[in-house]
Amino acid sequence: MVTRGALGVLLLLHLASDQKNSATMHEESRQPCKGLINANRFDDFSLEDTAKCFSACAQSGNESCNLGNLQRYWLNYEIHLVEKSLTETVNMSFLKALVKNINTNISEDLHFSLTPSQVPKQVTEDEHRHPDRVRLPRSLFGSLQGSRPMVRLAITILNVGSGNVFKGPRLSLEDDSSVLNNHVVGLSLGHINVTGLAEPLEITFSHQHQPPNVTLSCVFWDVTKGSLSSPGSSGDWASRGCSTDVGVNGTICRCDHLTFFALLLRPILDQVTVKALTRISQAGCGTSMIFLAFTVVLYAFLRFSQQRLNSEDVPKIHVALSVSLFLLNLAFFINVGHGLKGSDAACWARGAVFHYFLLCAFTWMSLEAFHLYLLVIKVFNTYFGHYFLKLSLVGWGLPALIVIGAGSANSYGPYAIRDEKNTATLELCWFCEKTAISALYVTVHGYFLITFLFSAVVLGLVALKIFTLSSATAGKEKRQHWKGVLTLLGLSSLVGVTWGLAILTPLGLSTTYVFALFTSLQETLSLDSRRHSRWRS
């Protein structure tokens, strides 16, 4: 009886284990971004289901996504269109395709339009000057004439979205590199491998005029390439066999084979520019540190010599901002000076410290703007108990919470600025490349945008107040208008509005130099504003 009961228990446990494994396998099979459930299905439902992964696989390390399987799916779909499908056109929101039988004994080149919002169509030579187009040389088909009189050609335009599918290890989303309009163009003859064309095909990608610090390169998806750091990613973008002819409003790509093609946009800073910007920043930061140290020492001296300063909050806020900027400049010098020297833990710490003092500077600039709002705009009912203590909790505490959160996600590590040859021109400890994209955008770009908009609104209200009073007293003081302008210039630097020049840096290198100069000299520029206030509200 005991033996029979034990066997029954073992049988129940075995059945329960089988059910659990079956449920687990069923759960995994229902995840389309694994690339398994729709692997050999190309009906409309499967295409739409798999296309959802373009946005779902937007974060690195997403365990529910297998980039290699997803990329192979779309490569196999082109072969399916040529070899098995009877469809001639596909018109979906994310996919436009044309399948056409081509006589190999043609006497002229073939031209097709590639307008992303329309299904590709063949156009005549006279009307082939569409903004987006492809030219297939007749020699391509003539080389196949001996083996077959007719071939089937598939042309696809695939919108891969802003996620990680068809991005590959080469494309770093960290530094704003991207596929032009997120569109990939596919050309396929099915299982017929076309390489080493004597006369290359031409694909024209239309685009707006690009700033000089952005490089454009024609690339194709090379399934033979991969990355040790991204074992799940099958393939990568490569430029072998392709040339790039950049124009004002379009770029012509000439390639000697058929596959998926795209135009990559990559912001670059060459070695000379990086060195020049680094020297400007170091000189400006060094100058600012002198004035910052002078400000803190002067406040300490006046506080001991004039007891009334102990109860005033205005100089305390100025000094808190001065300290945060001084420490930010110091962290910058250490970070740039050491590069990636030392252990991974030391690099992590330098990145975290640099991030912390950058956020502290942004926070205290916005607190300066908040205090300016109370003094100039609200004026009445502005008393708060333990006012400076509360500001300090926000100014030093909020950045600490953000850095702790980013650090717990292991966001800090080596970071590199690269040139057009993908060679590192500057290395420092910051956010890890490719693995901390969302953390960088949220805790730096997003945080800065919020503080900048708040400071800009307050400065606008103060400007309105100043010039309203200036108009009322114009007869009494002729130079009142210019005093108001100078005051606003000083206040704009004090509350960090000069950092808004970062928004203009994509316009070209000149704005990048201006941004580096003004932000590194922020304390020097705002000194007149503080001197004018004379430590009083």
Side-chain angles (χ1 to χ4, degrees), residues 1 81 89 94 103 142-143 145 202 216 297 424 427 457 532:
M1 292 293 293
L81 285 176
T89 61
F94 56 90
N103 192 323
S143 63
Q145 187 174 352
E202 289 185 359
L216 298 94
V297 171
E427 294 180 320
V457 169
H532 181 71

Side-chain angles (χ1 to χ4, degrees), residues 90-409:
V90 179
N91 189 0
M92 309 180 80
S93 60
F94 56 90
L95 174 67
K96 312 292 181 183
L98 170 69
V99 185
K100 189 175 180 65
N101 293 321
I102 306 295
N103 192 323
T104 56
N105 188 25
I106 58 175
S107 59
E108 57 185 15
D109 298 342
L110 299 182
H111 304 271
F112 297 88
S113 65
L114 296 176
T115 305
S117 60
Q118 301 175 2
V119 174
K121 64 178 181 179
Q122 186 174 358
V123 295
T124 63
E125 185 176 2
D126 294 334
E127 62 176 354
H128 77 275
R129 290 300 175 186
H130 289 261
D132 297 270
R133 58 191 181 271
V134 59
R135 181 187 68 84
L136 300 176
R138 61 181 180 177
S139 59
L140 186 160
F141 302 98
S143 63
L144 305 172
Q145 187 174 352
S147 59
R148 60 195 72 200
M150 192 78 68
V151 292
R152 195 165 167 84
L153 169 69
I155 302 176
T156 59
I157 304 173
L158 184 63
N159 186 345
V160 298
S162 57
N164 291 326
V165 181
F166 281 114
K167 295 305 186 290
R170 175 175 176 175
L171 188 61
S172 173
L173 299 180
E174 176 83 17
D175 57 6
D176 296 329
S177 298
S178 62
V179 172
L180 177 68
N181 299 326
N182 294 319
H183 285 132
V184 174
V185 174
L187 301 171
S188 175
L189 296 179
H191 288 298
I192 301 176
N193 188 24
V194 179
T195 58
L197 293 174
E199 183 180 0
L201 60 92
E202 289 185 359
I203 303 177
T204 302
F205 295 95
S206 65
H207 54 75
Q208 296 179 345
H209 177 67
Q210 300 296 319
N213 64 323
V214 172
T215 181
L216 298 94
S217 56
C218 298
V219 292
F220 72 96
W221 189 256
D222 188 353
V223 295
T224 65
K225 297 184 68 173
S227 173
L228 296 175
S229 60
S230 303
S233 176
S234 175
D236 194 9
W237 293 112
S239 57
R240 186 180 65 258
C242 291
S243 64
T244 305
D245 185 6
V246 180
V248 177
N249 297 315
T251 296
I252 300 176
C253 298
R254 296 181 177 91
C255 298
D256 63 358
H257 51 276
L258 299 185
T259 181
F260 273 2
F261 300 94
L263 185 64
L264 295 190
L265 283 72
R266 185 183 183 91
I268 56 106
L269 287 175
D270 56 68
Q271 188 75 35
V272 175
T273 303
V274 170
K275 286 184 177 180
L277 290 172
T278 302
R279 289 171 181 170
I280 290 173
S281 299
Q282 288 176 330
C285 290
T287 304
S288 287
M289 289 179 72
I290 295 174
F291 284 96
L292 290 166
F294 172 76
T295 300
V296 175
V297 171
L298 178 63
Y299 170 75
F301 173 77
L302 293 176
R303 182 173 182 178
F304 286 108
S305 62
Q306 301 182 27
Q307 293 298 320
R308 64 181 181 83
L309 283 178
N310 294 330
S311 60
E312 291 187 2
D313 292 319
V314 175
K316 295 178 182 177
I317 298 173
H318 291 340
V319 168
L321 176 59
S322 299
V323 171
S324 66
L325 288 173
F326 181 89
L327 295 175
L328 172 61
N329 291 331
L330 181 62
F332 170 77
F333 271 109
I334 295 174
N335 208 347
V336 173
H338 282 73
L340 300 181
K341 297 177 182 177
S343 63
D344 292 341
C347 187
W348 185 96
R350 290 200 299 274
V353 170
F354 188 39
H355 186 207
Y356 173 70
F357 288 124
L358 179 64
L359 296 182
C360 286
F362 288 158
T363 307
W364 278 107
M365 291 174 202
S366 62
L367 292 177
E368 285 272 15
F370 173 74
H371 187 72
L372 187 64
Y373 170 80
L374 295 181
L375 290 178
V376 180
I377 307 301
K378 191 174 182 180
V379 181
F380 300 105
N381 299 322
T382 59
Y383 173 77
F384 298 95
H386 304 289
Y387 177 60
F388 183 71
L389 177 61
K390 294 176 181 177
L391 293 183
S392 298
L393 290 176
V394 175
W396 304 110
L398 181 59
L401 294 177
I402 295 175
V403 170
I404 291 172
S408 62

Side-chain angles (χ1 to χ4, degrees), residues 465-478:
K465 192 86 170 180
I466 289 176
F467 290 115
T468 300
L469 294 175
S470 177
S471 300
T473 60
K476 298 180 181 179
E477 190 171 348
K478 296 180 180 180

